[in-house]
Amino acid sequence: MDWADELAQRVADRGPQVVNDSKTPSGTVHVGSLRGPVILDTIVRALRANGIETTFLYGVDDLDPMDAQALLTPDAVEREMGRPLAHVADQADDGHASYARHHAGIFIDIFAGLGIHPDRYYWMSDIYPTGDMDPFIRTALDRAATVRDIYRRVANVQHPETWHPVSVICPSCGKVGTTIVSQWDGERVFYECRPDLVTWATGCGASGWTTPFGGTAKLPWNLEWAAQWSLFGVTIEPGGKDLSTAGGSRDRSDAIAREVFEREPPLNLAYEFLNIGGKKMSTSKGRGAAAHAIADVVPPEQLRFLFLRPRPNQAIDFDPDGTDQIPRLFDEFDRFAAATAGRPVRGELPPGHRATFRYALLDPAADVEAEAAAFRIAFDRVAMFIEGSRRVDPLARAATEKGAPLTDREQAILEERIRAAERWLETYAPPGRWPGVQPELPPAADELTDDQRRFLQAVADRAEAVRPATGDGWQTLVFEAATETAIAPKRAAFEAIYRAFGGVPNGPRAGWILADEPFEFVVSRLREAAAAPVGGQA
Ligand SMILES: [Zn+2]
Ligand SMILES: [Zn+2]
């Protein structure tokens, strides 16, 4: 059983469940931030599959203050830093109502494509003005001493004795990150907008008594989080490892939930980061790993699989830029599919691999057995189909490999892989890839040894006898010819094929190269290379 089903069993007798997560839309969201939504969706699917009534919520904490100066135009820094993200203008000027709507929108737009469908999205900039948060603001202010004590006890944070847990949106300058409240009379708070409260934003100096209700103020993050749990009845909320450290955000909010709002906090499931190139990627740094950029290349099921293959408590190292990690992700997905379909696979598979495959599928109602059994052609092979000016008809080649026409679903998978390979070749593919089969015998064939020529001759002879059609058939034939001619080391055999067809010493699976060219061309090239200048070094 896998972790999501284990979780479902743990809560099976606790009644309906509400699964929640929320995100501060502070800038471009990198691909690692999709781990939370994918885990959330998997939990929801597992709960529902176990017959548990479940509500799936996703929130945007867009009254949080703007604190990312690098993402503002220079003239906007002084004005916008410290204002609620929902009140900052969209810097991209492409029609979104705010900076928050822009960044959250781009992120959330990815969800549906990944099969992630929350029952409800909520925006805190919409929630506060309804007055729904007012009871929690009142309770927090009434119990300010308890809140200060929790910060001291749980997080070793000393707030002044006059500090009150609410942030007024300054009526003068509109900033929320610069205000502090020092008094509460039961209806109004006394606030100051301080020039030096934080280093990253400058308050205007205004002060006075004002109401904290109806959207004029917000709770600090730890209290807002705990209030969301009460307001929405949240029972399960996974969180990134950074929030789940001792004395960290989750501990504080848990204590606030229990002691201030008097409600047991939701079940936590801490998950690890996705590291790009070995480092945790920050939102503002790192090129080419924005969530929407990766989602534009990696199809939904492989992207879900990227996050689901490791358990939540395992970090993921993902460095797609200039590497073969995206092709290997497809290979691993295909291996899980094969194992789920009961076909033999190489290497060990982790426990729960069937569930991993099931939860990686786009459609929660998909026929898992049929999906697992579907014919999938390797990503590297698909990339070969479309590289350069090839003569290959992918659909015909795939049907030959399968040994039967593709079903509609298999054809859709192939088309998806062709699109993904096209994007990958344009974006993340490493330089110096296989140049493709050369129309004329490459000069590199001059460097073939006598052993290699004998081997190529043997491949040609066998090919004419056997007439292999598939990549696997050709690969087997190549191995047999290598054994027959006793060429050593074995890789000299493959190098001979790469030199004869591509003019380089390395390449993709030799059987694929040969299978994708017209048979007569392959045989004549093999013989031509085998016969090339006598006197290559022995
Ligand atoms: Zn925009
Ligand atoms: Zn102000």
Side-chain angles (χ1 to χ4, degrees), residues 294 324 507 538:
I294 299 282
D324 64 355

Side-chain angles (χ1 to χ4, degrees), residues 90 92-96 102:
D90 182 2
D93 195 23
D94 57 358
H96 296 96
H102 177 88

Side-chain angles (χ1 to χ4, degrees), residues 51-339:
I52 301 164
E53 187 187 330
T54 303
T55 307
F56 181 0
L57 303 177
Y58 196 88
V60 183
D61 302 319
D62 61 341
L63 275 193
D64 289 4
M66 177 72 192
D67 63 358
Q69 181 171 331
L71 300 176
L72 289 169
T73 56
D75 63 305
V77 170
E78 175 59 33
R79 184 179 67 248
E80 306 283 24
M81 288 294 285
R83 298 183 73 203
L85 292 161
H87 299 174
V88 175
D90 182 2
Q91 304 294 294
D93 195 23
D94 57 358
H96 296 96
S98 69
Y99 180 94
R101 296 273 166 175
H102 177 88
H103 290 291
I106 289 174
F107 186 54
I108 284 171
D109 281 350
I110 302 168
F111 288 13
L114 289 179
I116 300 171
H117 302 285
D119 297 301
R120 179 187 172 193
Y121 287 103
Y122 61 89
W123 300 72
M124 292 313 290
S125 64
D126 291 339
I127 299 282
Y128 276 99
T130 64
D132 285 353
M133 293 294 279
D134 290 351
F136 302 102
I137 293 174
R138 179 176 292 280
T139 301
L141 288 168
D142 286 344
R143 300 183 179 177
T146 306
V147 175
R148 291 192 294 265
D149 178 57
I150 290 169
Y151 273 97
R152 259 194 303 276
R153 196 157 32 82
V154 177
N156 199 25
V157 172
Q158 298 277 348
H159 283 300
E161 282 309 306
T162 56
W163 180 87
H164 283 68
V166 73
S167 300
V168 168
I169 300 170
C170 177
S172 301
C173 71
K175 294 183 181 177
V176 70
T178 54
T179 63
I180 187 164
V181 163
S182 55
Q183 296 177 68
W184 159 241
D185 71 1
E187 285 306 324
R188 296 173 310 156
V189 293
F190 186 80
Y191 79 96
E192 291 170 73
C193 181
R194 291 192 184 160
D196 58 354
L197 185 70
V198 292
T199 54
W200 41 268
T202 310
C204 69
S207 66
W209 287 93
T210 186
T211 175
F213 300 128
T216 58
K218 79 181 286 292
L219 290 168
W221 166 235
N222 293 126
L223 288 107
E224 187 173 284
W225 199 6
Q228 286 172 353
W229 295 339
S230 287
L231 181 61
F232 300 122
V234 179
T235 56
I236 300 175
E237 180 153 344
K241 186 191 70 165
D242 52 335
L243 302 176
S244 303
T245 53
S249 229
R250 184 64 186 237
D251 275 0
R252 301 175 201 187
S253 293
D254 281 359
I256 289 162
R258 291 191 181 102
E259 298 175 41
V260 180
F261 300 134
E262 297 180 357
R263 180 182 183 276
E264 192 53 24
L267 205 65
N268 188 10
L269 178 92
Y271 56 85
E272 265 281 358
F273 295 121
L274 175 140
N275 305 304
I276 298 277
K279 280 174 283 180
K280 186 201 169 208
M281 244 190 64
S282 78
T283 298
S284 53
K285 291 178 202 148
R287 297 171 55 206
H292 62 272
I294 299 282
D296 195 40
V297 175
V298 181
E301 295 187 341
Q302 283 72 37
L303 196 48
R304 291 179 66 94
F305 182 75
L306 169 69
F307 294 109
L308 293 175
R309 190 198 179 302
R311 291 180 72 87
N313 62 5
Q314 292 175 310
I316 301 171
D317 291 313
F318 186 58
D319 190 6
D321 206 5
T323 73
D324 64 355
Q325 285 200 11
I326 287 175
R328 296 295 78 74
L329 178 65
F330 278 86
D331 291 351
E332 188 67 348
F333 181 90
D334 293 354
R335 201 167 72 100
F336 274 53

Side-chain angles (χ1 to χ4, degrees), residues 366-424:
D367 178 342
V368 178
E369 300 301 323
E371 284 293 316
F375 176 77
R376 292 176 173 82
I377 199 152
F379 183 87
D380 281 331
R381 183 81 181 274
V382 175
M384 286 172 64
F385 287 165
I386 60 173
E387 274 176 303
S389 54
R390 301 300 304 273
R391 295 168 275 198
V392 176
D393 171 3
L395 188 56
R397 285 307 316 166
T400 302
E401 292 296 334
K402 185 191 172 192
L406 266 51
T407 64
D408 288 350
R409 173 64 184 141
E410 288 165 343
Q411 201 170 322
I413 292 171
L414 175 64
E415 281 159 9
E416 183 179 68
R417 289 189 175 201
I418 290 171
R419 273 195 306 279
E422 284 169 349
R423 300 257 164 80
W424 180 71

Side-chain angles (χ1 to χ4, degrees), residues 449-452 454-456 458 462 478-493:
T449 66
D450 290 344
D451 278 354
Q452 287 177 316
R454 271 194 295 277
F455 160 75
L456 293 174
R462 278 179 175 264
V478 166
F479 268 102
E480 287 167 356
T483 303
E484 177 198 321
T485 57
I487 184 169
K490 259 226 166 72
R491 75 161 318 283

